[in-house]
Amino acid sequence: MKLMTTTSNIQVLLRSYASHQNSAQVNVADFCDYIKKYAQHHANDQPELLPYINNSTELVKKELERLAQERQVLYVAADPEKKEVIVIHYYIDKCLSVYQNIRKNPSIPYPFDTDLPKNAPTEILKREGADVYLSEQESSKAATLYCLQLPRGLPSILCPSSLPIEDLMIIALLKFQSKLQKDEFHDYFLKKLQVANPGKDLTVKNFFSMVTKKTDEAIRSIKNASDTFYQWNQLCFFIRQDYEKTTDLTAEDISLLQSIYILEFCVTSYRNKAQQNLQKETALKNLELNLNKPPYYFTRENINMFSDSRGVPLLGQYSDKDLNDYIQNATTESEDNKLPLLLSFKGINNVKTYVLKAKVLPLIVRLCTDARETIRDQITKDCFNDLKNFSSVPEMKNQELFEKTLENAVKIKSPILYALLNAPFLKALQYESRGMTELVTGHIHLFTDGEVSPYSELLMLSKEEILTDARILLPVWYTIPGFSWLVSFFKGQPKQKKQKPQKQATQKKMIASDEAESFEIPSPLSQQDASAASRKEELKQAALEAEKHYVPQGSTIERELSSYEHAWNRMLSKQARDNLTEDVNSLIRDYMRKILRTLRANNFTPERINNLATTLVKTPGMQKIQDQAELHMYVQLYMVKLIKGL
C-alpha cells in the first residue's frame, strides 16, 4: 500500500464529502461507509484503495488521527468517543470562494469572522495582525484560516493561508478603484494629491491614472517599491482621514477602509523589504571590501566581526543565514570550471580559513617576505650553536635535509604560509593564473615546472650562506684546524664566545631603541591614587578587547605589527628602514600621550581607534608613505599595543 497516495486520497475525499454534505461536521461512521463504497467502485483504477474494502473503519480512523495531529481536522469537543470530526478545509474552501466572487464583483464585502456558523469552533481560526501577516509576503503551505485584525476597530477579515498575498492586494485595489472611479471621488482626491505635491501635476495625474485604471501596473509599483511609495501613502492617508471622521459607516465604507489598510500595509512591507535588501547588498559589498584588506585571510569568527567604514558591525545588516549563503555561493560557484572566487583552507589549529582567490599569490609572496628574515635568523642561530658546541650540522651539507629544516621552520613560524603552500587548490590556481604569476610574484618564483618551488627558493635562503654567516660569528680560534678540537677536548666544553665591540655597540643601540619606545604615562595616569590606577586598568582591558578585533585567531599583535611594517616600510637599507619605523612610532607615541589625557576606557573602541588612526595618517608626514591602507592598520595596532602596555 502506498501510504502517501492513500493519505492524499483520504484528505481529498474528506474535503469533497464535507462539501457535498454542505457541512464541516462529518460523521465518522458515515464517512467510513462512503470510503468503502468508493474503494469498491475505484479499486481497479486505484489499487492503493484495496485495503479499504475489507477494513475501511480501522484504516480511516487511523488516517483521521493523523490528520487531527496535523490540525487538518478537529474532533468535536463534546464527543469523547470521537464519532464526528470538523473538516477545517471546508471553511477554507468556502472563504476562498468568497474571494473569487469579490474579484468578479468588488462590491461584495470581505468575509468576516462573524460570518462563520455559530457552531464553528474557535480553534479553526488563527488571529494575527494584518500588518504582521502581510509583512511575511509569502503564502503559507499549511492549511490555516487566518483572522486578520485591523486598526480603528474595523471588523477582522478572514483570509485563508492558500490565498496568495498578491491576490489579496489585487482584490483590495479593485475595491479601491471602484470607489475612486466615481467622478466626485476621482476629482476630489486627485485635487488633494496635486495640492500636496506642488509643481508635480503631471506626475500626480499619471500616478492617479495608474491607480484607478491599470491594476497590473499599480500592483507592480507596490511590489517594486518604486518612487510612487510616498504618493501611495498620501492617497491612502487622505481617504482614511475623510472616512474615519464619519461615525455612521456603511458596509461599502467599511470595505473601502479595510482595503486601504491592506494596501498601506503591503506598500510599507514591500518598501521595508526593498530597504532591507539594499542594506543587505551594501553590507555584502562591504564584506567583499573587508576580504580585500590585510591580512587577507580570515576565519569565520573574524568575518563575523567585520564592520563598515562607520564601525558598525556588518552582521546585523545582513543575517547569519545571508552570510552562510554568501560564503556557500562564493566558495562553490564558478565559471568555466575555474576555482570559485573565495577559497578555504585549514589554517591555524586546523580552523577553516577563507581567502579571496585573487589574493592568494600576493599573500604567499608577502608571507614569504615576512618569514624570510625570522627563519634565516633562527636557523643561523641554531647552526651557530651547533658549531659552537662542535656538533655536526648535516642540514648544511645535504640539500634535502636543509629543505626539511626550512619546512619545519615555516610550519612553526608562519603556519598560514605553510597551510597555503599545502592547500589543495594551489596547483589549480597556478594553472589558472599561469600568465599572471610572474607579474604577481615578482622576484619570488612560487612554481617550478608546474610544482610549488622548494622552500629555499621561496624564502631565497641558501645553506651555504647561512653556514658562512654562522661561522663568521664564531671566535677566530674555532676556525683553526686541529687547534679548536684540542681546546674542546681539554676544556671539556666550548669556551663562551666574547662579544665583539661592534656587536656590543649594536646591542646597546637596540636597548636604547627599546627604551625610546617605552610609552610614558601622562601625569593624570601616573598619580598614585586609586582612581588613576583604576582608570589605567580599565584602559588596558579596553585595549585587550580591541586586540581581539584586530588580531586574527592564532596570531599575536607583534606578528601583525611586523607583517604590516614590512608592507608599508619598503626602504632598502636596514638602517633607513629602522629609522623610518622609529619616526612613525614616535609620532604615534606623541599623539597618544596627548589623547591619553582625556581618553576613557568606554571610548577606546575599534571605531574610535579607527578615527584616531585616520586623523594621524592624514598628517603631512604620514602622507608621504605610499601604502596608506597598510600604514593605517599598523597605526591602529600600535595604538592598541601602547595602551595595552600601560
Side-chain angles (χ1 to χ4, degrees):
M1 178 179 66
K2 298 179 181 179
L3 183 60
M4 291 302 296
T5 305
T6 303
T7 302
S8 176
N9 283 340
I10 291 298
Q11 185 176 350
V12 172
L13 290 171
L14 183 60
R15 292 172 62 180
S16 176
Y17 184 80
S19 177
H20 181 72
Q21 297 292 324
N22 198 25
S23 173
Q25 193 164 320
V26 173
N27 183 278
V28 175
D30 292 343
F31 182 65
C32 289
D33 292 339
Y34 169 78
I35 289 296
K36 183 176 181 179
K37 294 177 181 178
Y38 182 89
Q40 290 173 344
H41 189 266
H42 297 281
N44 292 332
D45 299 331
Q46 301 179 36
E48 63 271 17
L49 292 175
L50 286 173
Y52 290 92
I53 296 177
N54 299 320
N55 195 18
S56 62
T57 301
E58 183 178 346
L59 290 175
V60 168
K61 286 184 177 180
K62 184 177 180 180
E63 291 300 322
L64 290 177
E65 288 284 351
R66 198 189 68 79
L67 292 174
Q69 291 178 0
E70 296 178 356
R71 294 192 59 79
Q72 303 294 321
V73 300
L74 295 173
Y75 286 105
V76 177
D79 181 15
E81 296 183 5
K82 300 181 179 180
K83 293 182 178 180
E84 293 187 334
V85 295
I86 295 174
V87 183
I88 297 177
H89 270 288
Y90 174 83
Y91 298 107
I92 293 176
D93 293 340
K94 287 289 185 183
C95 192
L96 273 176
S97 66
V98 173
Y99 277 102
Q100 290 171 357
N101 292 332
I102 294 176
R103 193 157 184 172
K104 297 175 183 177
N105 183 7
S107 63
I108 299 175
Y110 290 102
F112 301 155
D113 53 349
T114 54
D115 296 337
L116 292 173
K118 293 182 179 180
N119 62 344
T122 56
E123 294 91 336
I124 67 172
L125 295 179
K126 184 176 181 180
R127 299 185 181 275
E128 191 167 354
D131 54 339
V132 176
Y133 177 78
L134 295 172
S135 66
E136 295 177 358
Q137 298 181 354
E138 291 182 4
S139 300
S140 172
K141 293 182 180 180
T144 308
L145 186 59
Y146 285 93
C147 184
L148 303 183
Q149 298 171 327
L150 297 169
R152 304 282 183 175
L154 289 173
S156 299
I157 296 175
L158 294 181
C159 181
S161 58
S162 53
L163 179 70
I165 300 297
E166 184 174 341
D167 287 1
L168 182 60
M169 276 198 299
I170 291 173
I171 289 170
L173 182 60
L174 290 174
K175 286 180 170 292
F176 199 55
Q177 290 173 339
S178 66
K179 192 73 174 178
L180 289 178
Q181 285 170 355
K182 296 179 180 179
D183 291 340
E184 63 274 19
F185 291 101
H186 180 281
D187 297 340
Y188 174 69
F189 287 112
L190 175 58
K191 185 66 176 177
K192 293 196 75 170
L193 268 183
Q194 289 174 330
V195 171
N197 296 272
K200 298 181 179 180
D201 287 356
L202 181 60
T203 301
V204 170
K205 285 182 179 179
N206 289 337
F207 167 75
F208 206 79
S209 174
M210 175 189 70
V211 171
T212 55
K213 299 177 182 178
K214 303 174 183 177
T215 304
D216 292 341
E217 189 176 338
I219 293 297
R220 278 197 301 273
S221 73
I222 295 176
K223 294 178 67 177
N224 295 336
S226 62
D227 295 337
T228 59
F229 167 76
Y230 297 104
Q231 293 168 339
W232 271 110
N233 275 346
Q234 286 178 327
L235 180 58
C236 290
F237 172 75
F238 291 149
I239 298 175
R240 279 198 298 104
Q241 192 179 43
D242 275 23
Y243 276 87
E244 286 175 351
K245 296 176 183 178
T246 307
T247 54
D248 298 327
L249 294 173
T250 64
E252 185 181 5
D253 296 338
I254 291 173
S255 189
L256 176 62
L257 284 173
Q258 289 171 327
S259 298
I260 290 173
Y261 275 116
I262 289 173
L263 290 173
E264 274 189 313
F265 291 149
C266 288
V267 168
T268 302
S269 176
Y270 279 106
R271 179 69 173 185
N272 291 340
K273 187 71 174 177
Q275 290 177 338
Q276 290 171 3
N277 287 336
L278 179 61
Q279 175 182 278
K280 182 178 73 173
E281 290 173 5
T282 303
L284 290 174
K285 289 180 180 178
N286 283 324
L287 169 63
E288 294 177 0
L289 291 176
N290 277 274
L291 290 171
N292 273 285
K293 293 179 180 179
Y296 305 118
Y297 58 91
F298 307 94
T299 64
R300 178 57 189 271
E301 184 178 353
N302 299 144
I303 294 174
N304 288 344
M305 296 175 66
F306 280 171
S307 57
D308 58 21
S309 58
R310 301 166 296 165
V312 180
L314 295 180
L315 190 58
Q317 298 181 48
Y318 48 63
S319 66
D320 196 61
K321 182 181 180 302
D322 294 331
L323 179 56
N324 288 334
D325 291 342
Y326 173 85
I327 293 176
Q328 175 67 20
N329 293 335
T331 53
T332 56
E333 292 184 356
S334 61
E335 298 179 357
D336 301 327
N337 295 321
K338 292 185 178 180
L339 290 171
L341 296 179
L342 187 65
L343 304 174
S344 63
F345 62 97
K346 290 184 178 180
I348 300 171
N349 297 327
N350 285 328
V351 176
K352 195 171 188 179
T353 307
Y354 300 93
V355 59
L356 288 174
K357 178 173 68 173
K359 294 297 181 182
V360 173
L361 298 182
L363 176 58
I364 291 177
V365 173
R366 171 192 158 191
L367 293 175
C368 286
T369 304
D370 294 346
R372 181 181 184 277
E373 189 173 345
T374 303
I375 293 175
R376 182 181 183 279
D377 292 344
Q378 182 62 49
I379 295 179
T380 303
K381 181 179 178 181
D382 292 342
C383 181
F384 166 75
N385 290 331
D386 289 339
L387 293 174
K388 185 179 176 182
N389 293 325
F390 301 99
S391 301
S392 62
V393 192
E395 59 270 22
M396 295 302 156
K397 299 177 181 178
N398 184 292
Q399 186 64 28
E400 186 176 346
L401 291 177
F402 182 64
E403 297 292 347
K404 190 65 178 177
T405 301
L406 291 177
E407 180 181 359
N408 292 334
V410 170
K411 191 173 184 179
I412 296 171
K413 298 292 184 181
S414 185
I416 294 297
L417 174 59
Y418 181 81
L420 284 171
L421 291 175
N422 291 276
F425 55 73
L426 194 57
K427 288 185 179 180
L429 181 60
Q430 185 267 338
Y431 178 78
E432 281 187 21
S433 57
R434 57 191 181 277
M436 296 291 293
T437 302
E438 293 299 324
L439 180 63
V440 173
T441 59
H443 57 278
I444 295 180
H445 298 287
L446 293 185
F447 303 97
T448 303
D449 298 329
E451 299 291 334
V452 179
S453 298
Y455 284 92
S456 57
E457 291 189 25
L458 294 174
L459 300 174
M460 293 187 293
L461 293 177
S462 165
K463 65 181 188 299
E464 291 81 8
E465 292 179 2
I466 291 177
L467 182 59
T468 301
D469 291 343
R471 283 174 173 169
I472 290 174
L473 298 175
L474 292 171
V476 177
W477 58 268
Y478 268 73
T479 61
I480 300 175
F483 181 72
S484 60
W485 180 87
L486 287 173
V487 173
S488 65
F489 177 79
F490 286 109
K491 294 184 70 68
Q493 59 182 4
K495 184 178 179 180
Q496 293 295 324
K497 178 172 65 70
K498 295 182 179 179
Q499 291 182 336
K500 295 182 180 180
Q502 183 179 359
K503 189 171 183 180
Q504 291 176 348
T506 303
Q507 289 181 344
K508 289 180 180 179
K509 184 178 179 181
M510 291 175 64
I511 293 172
S513 177
D514 290 340
E515 290 175 350
E517 282 200 12
S518 63
F519 189 55
E520 296 179 359
I521 303 170
S523 55
L525 286 181
S526 60
Q527 300 170 1
Q528 300 300 317
D529 56 86
S531 61
S534 174
R535 180 183 167 209
K536 180 177 176 181
E537 287 302 318
E538 289 175 357
L539 280 170
K540 290 173 71 173
Q541 287 299 320
L544 289 172
E545 289 299 319
E547 183 180 10
K548 297 177 183 178
H549 176 80
Y550 289 105
V551 179
Q553 184 181 7
S555 186
T556 64
I557 194 167
E558 287 76 15
R559 181 185 292 174
E560 294 302 310
L561 277 168
S562 176
S563 175
Y564 284 110
E565 180 188 345
H566 281 86
W568 63 262
N569 191 344
R570 298 181 179 274
M571 302 297 288
L572 297 178
S573 167
K574 185 178 186 305
Q575 184 64 38
R577 188 164 61 249
D578 292 342
N579 290 340
L580 178 58
T581 299
E582 177 55 29
D583 290 342
V584 170
N585 291 347
S586 297
L587 283 173
I588 301 172
R589 289 197 297 272
D590 293 342
Y591 182 65
M592 288 303 292
R593 286 191 186 97
K594 298 175 184 178
I595 297 298
L596 259 180
R597 300 180 187 279
T598 57
L599 185 64
R600 293 291 180 268
N602 59 350
N603 289 333
F604 196 67
T605 61
E607 182 179 3
R608 171 68 167 156
I609 296 168
N610 177 63
N611 293 336
L612 292 173
T614 301
T615 302
L616 185 57
V617 170
K618 287 182 179 179
T619 57
M622 292 284 204
Q623 284 291 303
K624 295 179 182 179
I625 299 174
Q626 292 184 353
D627 300 294
Q628 289 286 299
E630 288 76 8
L631 177 63
H632 187 268
M633 281 298 299
Y634 178 86
V635 172
Q636 294 181 78
L637 286 165
Y638 197 77
M639 287 178 174
V640 173
K641 179 184 177 182
L642 291 176
I643 301 301
K644 179 184 172 185
L646 284 176

